[in-house]
Amino acid sequence: MTTNLSLEGRKKAAFDHARAGRFEDAANLLLSVLKQAPHDLGSLLLLGDVRHAAGKTQDASRAYTAAMQAMQLGNGQVAPGYQQGVQRAQARLAEYARGYDAFIESELPKAKRSKRFDQSVDILLGKSGIYLQQPTKYYFPGLPQIQFYDTSEFDWVSGLEAKTADIKRELMAVLSDHAAFKPYLERDNSQPNVKSHELVGNDDWSAFYLWKDGERVEENCARCPVTAAAFDNIPLDRLPGQAPSVLFSLLKPGAQIPPHHGLINTRLICHLPVLVPGPAWLRVGNEVHHWQEGKVCIFDDSVEHEAKNEADQTRVVLLFDIWRPELSLQEREEVTKFLGAISAYSGEKVVSGN
């Protein structure tokens, strides 16, 4: 019986069965081989081919997927004899994915899906990953994983948006002073710069602060009185000596902020786009937001995010941080005291840096 053959003998017999169109016999032999050698790339690829030829595309997809996983376990190295098989498997997996996508679209059209459900479908289809809060310094558990917040849930948003024209006039006056903006990521030569990247000390991404490290910058507030007064009724996350920060954040044409995570997850970052001369975007997790002048966006920066100004002119947003609304007053007080104590002990500001 063929099942008494060696592994190589069964693989050869399976190939002969496949060539003769005896697909089920070939599949059974290959499955017996894979019981003993589950990472055998050649057998997995041939099993996918056999299942595909038999019209069993779901079984073929499983076999091809297992082949891709086996290939990755082998550090992605593919022996020359298997390269065409791997390319064929990848092409068929893409074909199956398109078919699956078309099926889902026919059952639940994208135009009729809710936003969160649509994200779940993209994750299932492998079009998007799962992005979670990963703050680099302090994590507060139990908070919802929301990338962009619905601004209609914040009663101060409409009032701030109504001041956009006045805020823009103040911004334009500041922009006429080329020395007013400083690099957002300042280089600290007294400390190691192991994680330094090209934006450190670079004014492609620069800032003009109204509040910095929890303190009003009185000189700058005097230059922008309407903008400074706009925050009187906004729930800024007040951490003495550390937060909030309120600033005009400037991105030069073509400048890109690489993917990164924020420091803590007890705050949200807010943008009021004041100067958006062309295409510019912010990605948070698996959502991409295109800034629109005068339209606030609110997001969780502890989720991986990046941004780019694709316009040929400068983009500026008014950036500030607020308490997450899910935190109770007691929790806010606890976080404030705790982060303050850490800062006093270590001599470093938990909410500063990048």
Side-chain angles (χ1 to χ4, degrees):
M1 295 176 64
T2 53
T3 52
N4 294 327
L5 295 173
S6 66
L7 284 178
E8 291 303 317
R10 275 178 278 166
K11 288 161 69 173
K12 182 180 182 304
F15 183 77
D16 291 339
H17 282 312
R19 289 184 64 184
R22 296 189 292 272
F23 301 129
E24 197 59 33
D25 290 337
N28 288 335
L29 278 171
L30 291 167
L31 289 170
S32 75
V33 169
L34 291 165
K35 283 183 179 180
Q36 292 179 253
H39 299 151
D40 188 290
L41 181 59
S43 295
L44 289 167
L45 290 170
L46 182 55
L47 180 61
D49 292 342
V50 166
R51 293 303 200 192
H52 180 85
K56 298 183 177 181
T57 56
Q58 291 191 14
D59 289 337
S61 178
R62 295 187 188 99
Y64 286 140
T65 299
M68 298 301 102
Q69 292 169 344
M71 184 177 69
Q72 291 304 316
L73 289 172
N75 297 320
Q77 299 298 316
V78 182
Y82 294 135
Q83 289 177 349
Q84 287 188 345
V86 168
Q87 292 171 358
R88 183 169 59 250
Q90 291 171 333
R92 285 178 176 167
L93 283 171
E95 176 189 336
Y96 300 155
R98 289 192 294 271
Y100 193 28
D101 196 1
F103 165 74
I104 292 175
E105 177 66 21
S106 68
E107 295 292 313
L108 290 161
K110 187 177 183 70
K112 296 182 179 180
R113 299 176 198 164
S114 65
K115 183 178 179 181
R116 287 195 297 177
F117 176 73
D118 191 45
Q119 288 182 357
S120 76
V121 172
D122 284 346
I123 292 169
L124 176 66
L125 294 175
K127 294 181 177 181
S128 176
I130 299 174
Y131 293 90
L132 303 174
Q133 297 163 7
Q134 296 183 60
T136 58
K137 289 194 175 180
Y138 176 66
Y139 176 78
F140 191 102
L143 298 175
Q145 302 285 342
I146 301 172
Q147 296 170 165
F148 284 97
Y149 276 68
D150 182 350
T151 58
S152 68
E153 297 177 359
F154 298 81
D155 58 9
W156 51 264
V157 166
S158 60
L160 180 62
E161 290 179 340
K163 296 180 174 70
T164 300
D166 292 331
I167 292 171
K168 187 172 183 177
R169 277 192 288 273
E170 293 183 340
L171 167 66
M172 299 309 291
V174 173
L175 284 173
S176 66
D177 176 4
H178 298 297
F181 281 77
K182 305 296 182 184
Y184 179 79
L185 297 178
E186 299 175 291
R187 189 180 302 278
D188 183 358
N189 291 322
S190 68
Q191 299 293 332
N193 289 284
V194 176
K195 294 183 178 180
S196 181
H197 55 71
E198 64 180 14
L199 285 176
V200 175
N202 186 337
D203 65 2
D204 280 359
W205 181 19
S206 55
F208 178 84
Y209 284 92
L210 302 178
W211 286 70
K212 186 176 184 182
D213 297 336
E215 303 291 338
R216 276 175 60 99
V217 183
E218 295 296 346
E219 178 184 353
N220 291 349
C221 286
R223 295 175 69 174
C224 304
V226 173
T227 307
F231 291 92
D232 290 345
N233 298 314
I234 293 176
L236 301 174
D237 59 330
R238 299 184 186 276
L239 302 172
Q242 300 190 73
S245 289
V246 179
L247 60 140
F248 286 117
S249 174
L250 181 154
L251 268 185
K252 287 187 175 180
Q256 181 164 7
I257 302 169
H260 64 289
H261 296 85
L263 302 164
I264 60 177
N265 70 330
T266 53
R267 69 180 181 188
L268 298 176
I269 301 298
C270 308
H271 288 173
L272 172 67
V274 185
L275 187 61
V276 186
W281 51 263
L282 165 69
R283 177 187 68 82
V284 180
N286 52 28
E287 295 181 67
V288 176
H289 173 83
H290 293 268
W291 287 294
Q292 299 178 56
E293 285 191 13
K295 296 294 182 182
V296 167
C297 71
I298 302 174
F299 64 98
D300 181 353
D301 78 321
S302 71
V303 178
E304 182 189 272
H305 59 290
E306 63 177 321
K308 185 172 184 179
N309 178 16
E310 295 182 338
D312 59 3
Q313 298 178 60
T314 295
R315 179 239 64 174
V316 181
V317 301
L318 180 60
L319 184 156
F320 55 98
D321 36 297
I322 63 172
W323 284 108
R324 288 189 68 124
E326 301 88 0
L327 290 173
S328 68
L329 290 177
Q330 178 181 339
E331 289 169 335
R332 296 180 188 187
E333 292 172 359
E334 291 168 338
V335 169
T336 300
K337 185 175 181 180
F338 180 57
L339 295 184
I342 292 175
S343 178
Y345 179 84
S346 66
E348 296 181 359
K349 297 174 181 178
V350 179
V351 192
S352 66
N354 197 57

